[in-house]
Amino acid sequence: MIYEKGNPKWAIFLVIIFMILGANYMIYNFSFFQPFDEKIVIASLIDCILVIPILTYFFIIRNKYSFKTIGIPLLAGYAAAYYIIPQEYLQSYNKLTWIIIVMEGLILTFELFLFYKILKYFPKLMKEFKNRSLEGYYFIENMNMALKSIFPNSLFEKIGTTESSIYYYSLFSFRKKINTSVIKEQFSYHKKTSVIALNLMLIHAIVIETIGIHYLLHKINPIISYITLFLNVYTVLLFIAEIQAIRLTPIQIRNEKLVIQIGIMKRINIPLKNISKIEYYNGPEKFSNKELENIFDARVNDFIQEKPKFDIYLKETSTANLLYGFTKKVNRIVLSVDEPERFYQTISQSLQEN
């Protein structure tokens, strides 16, 4: 069904992964391939530790999740190599274990450094944050402005905005409700999709994987197993934060702007006077790669991605904000909302007034 609906990525990804792992397993366990050149071990390691993580990035992680989650398929590939390649051949490559430990350790050290910086400037940061939160803005906007006031034009400001948003939405937002007293025109965009179920499924899969991978890696190397555990916990927090942010950040019309924040992954603020026109979308199901270069796709991830409801054209190019301070220039926005007719009438009326 997924393939017929034009979303075959998961099926293709799994088929390729099974082919790679299956081929490597047969080389070492089927007599037909014996004897083999011991250099084949290098090829197997490349398959498991390089090819599989790269495929995972392009099929699953890219444009959806934090790049740091690449550590999970990297460690899973290492575990697969450990059980596929006979130990007498793998022992010659013990240095590989320490390379992985160093790579994952650097990610962990960077996370701890960010945490230290936030704690160091916490009183000043909270003061700046509270001054802005009274205006009814979303957490990411408030935190970004607060960090800019303390770390102007800093890499820490860009990365800190994403990191603090992940921890806020995943750990401290469960009692929060959408503020309807300050902003009247708000439009949810997730209730008619399966995005919540999709993220819950991914959380469930990661928890099960964490138990198995932690047990297996603990036998191989306890250091790797605990680093893996940390990264998996971080990824679970990322998905929880995405669920909460989607729930708490409806599309708004605020201060003569169309404010769009889709979870914690992407956001854009468009002055209403910069909107050329809004139309019901009547194009093909999928956009070409060239089109996507200049489109802000404000739809949430779903099991089966439906066509967007609306096409919004801009008079001038605007900047969209992505994870970790990355930006994108766009001149067109496609999106869906749960109340399409009310959204269309509200935007149309606002454009006439402007």
Side-chain angles (χ1 to χ4, degrees):
M1 180 178 69
I2 293 176
Y3 188 87
E4 289 176 352
K5 289 290 184 179
N7 186 20
K9 288 199 299 183
W10 275 94
I12 295 174
F13 171 74
L14 291 174
V15 168
I16 294 174
I17 296 301
F18 280 125
M19 288 176 63
I20 292 172
L21 295 178
N24 280 279
Y25 178 84
M26 288 190 293
I27 288 173
Y28 299 104
N29 292 276
F30 283 57
S31 58
F32 177 79
F33 297 98
Q34 308 295 333
F36 57 81
D37 189 336
E38 291 188 12
K39 291 181 181 178
I40 198 70
V41 175
I42 298 176
S44 296
L45 288 171
I46 291 174
D47 281 344
C48 293
I49 300 176
L50 186 61
V51 175
I52 289 177
I54 289 175
L55 288 172
T56 306
Y57 173 76
F58 282 105
F59 276 87
I60 310 300
I61 297 175
R62 186 179 60 165
N63 297 329
K64 293 183 180 180
Y65 309 115
S66 166
F67 179 77
K68 286 181 288 185
T69 56
I70 195 69
I72 296 174
L74 177 65
L75 291 166
Y78 176 75
Y82 181 85
Y83 282 96
I84 289 174
I85 302 171
Q87 291 303 301
E88 59 266 26
Y89 300 112
L90 194 59
Q91 286 176 357
S92 302
Y93 301 91
N94 282 336
K95 290 182 180 179
L96 185 65
T97 300
W98 292 105
I99 292 174
I100 293 175
I101 289 176
V102 169
M103 291 175 61
E104 301 298 339
L106 287 173
I107 295 175
L108 178 58
T109 302
F110 183 69
E111 287 293 319
L112 293 174
F113 173 73
L114 286 175
F115 187 66
Y116 161 75
K117 292 281 283 186
I118 290 175
L119 285 181
K120 183 179 178 180
Y121 293 95
F122 188 76
K124 186 177 180 181
L125 190 61
M126 284 299 97
K127 183 179 179 181
E128 293 288 340
F129 178 82
K130 288 179 180 179
N131 290 338
R132 288 165 171 79
S133 61
L134 297 174
E135 301 178 26
Y137 294 168
Y138 290 143
F139 176 88
I140 292 181
E141 292 177 278
N142 293 332
M143 182 56 68
N144 183 249
M145 289 188 289
L147 286 168
K148 276 184 178 179
S149 67
I150 301 174
F151 310 101
N153 301 318
S154 167
L155 179 63
F156 178 75
E157 167 253 314
K158 297 175 181 178
I159 297 176
T161 298
T162 296
E163 291 292 308
S164 58
S165 299
I166 290 172
Y167 293 118
Y168 168 77
Y169 280 113
S170 63
L171 300 175
F172 306 109
S173 68
F174 287 93
R175 294 186 179 181
K176 299 292 181 180
K177 295 182 179 179
I178 298 172
N179 188 344
T180 57
S181 60
V182 178
I183 309 297
K184 299 297 183 183
E185 299 296 348
Q186 305 192 86
F187 304 89
S188 62
Y189 50 84
H190 67 284
K191 295 178 180 178
K192 295 182 179 180
T193 71
S194 302
V195 62
I196 304 297
L198 174 62
N199 281 282
L200 288 173
M201 183 193 74
L202 291 171
I203 291 171
H204 181 262
I206 290 171
V207 170
I208 293 175
E209 182 216 41
T210 299
I211 296 171
I213 294 294
H214 181 71
Y215 174 77
L216 294 175
L217 290 178
H218 195 78
K219 291 183 174 181
I220 304 169
N221 191 303
I223 298 176
I224 291 183
S225 70
Y226 285 114
I227 293 176
T228 306
L229 179 63
F230 171 83
L231 291 175
N232 280 5
V233 170
Y234 175 87
T235 306
V236 169
L237 292 179
L238 176 67
F239 289 135
I240 294 174
E242 180 70 356
I243 291 172
Q244 286 297 97
I246 287 171
R247 184 178 67 84
L248 295 172
T249 59
I251 295 171
Q252 296 182 339
I253 298 177
R254 179 214 306 159
N255 299 333
E256 301 300 321
K257 291 182 179 180
L258 176 62
V259 179
I260 303 174
Q261 179 183 317
I262 307 301
I264 61 172
M265 301 293 177
K266 49 192 173 183
R267 56 193 170 90
I268 189 170
N269 292 0
I270 302 294
L272 292 176
K273 63 182 180 181
N274 191 32
I275 296 177
S276 172
K277 60 180 177 178
I278 178 174
E279 298 177 343
Y280 281 95
Y281 181 79
N282 193 29
E285 284 198 21
K286 297 186 70 174
F287 297 103
S288 68
N289 291 332
K290 187 174 182 180
E291 285 180 308
L292 287 173
E293 291 178 1
N294 300 306
I295 290 178
F296 182 81
D297 190 345
R299 295 173 295 172
V300 294
N301 296 323
D302 209 340
F303 289 108
I304 301 173
Q305 190 68 275
E306 301 289 345
K307 283 186 179 182
K309 290 284 196 308
F310 296 105
D311 217 334
I312 298 177
Y313 294 86
L314 307 181
K315 297 176 183 177
E316 297 178 359
T317 300
S318 292
T319 301
N321 295 282
L322 310 176
L323 284 174
Y324 298 104
F326 288 98
T327 59
K328 179 182 180 181
K329 298 292 185 180
V330 300
N331 54 27
R332 183 179 165 198
I333 300 170
V334 294
L335 57 85
S336 296
V337 292
D338 296 325
E339 299 175 273
E341 186 57 33
R342 185 170 77 88
F343 179 78
Y344 180 80
Q345 294 300 332
T346 302
I347 295 294
S348 299
Q349 184 178 348
S350 298
L351 293 181
Q352 291 175 3
E353 293 174 356
N354 279 273

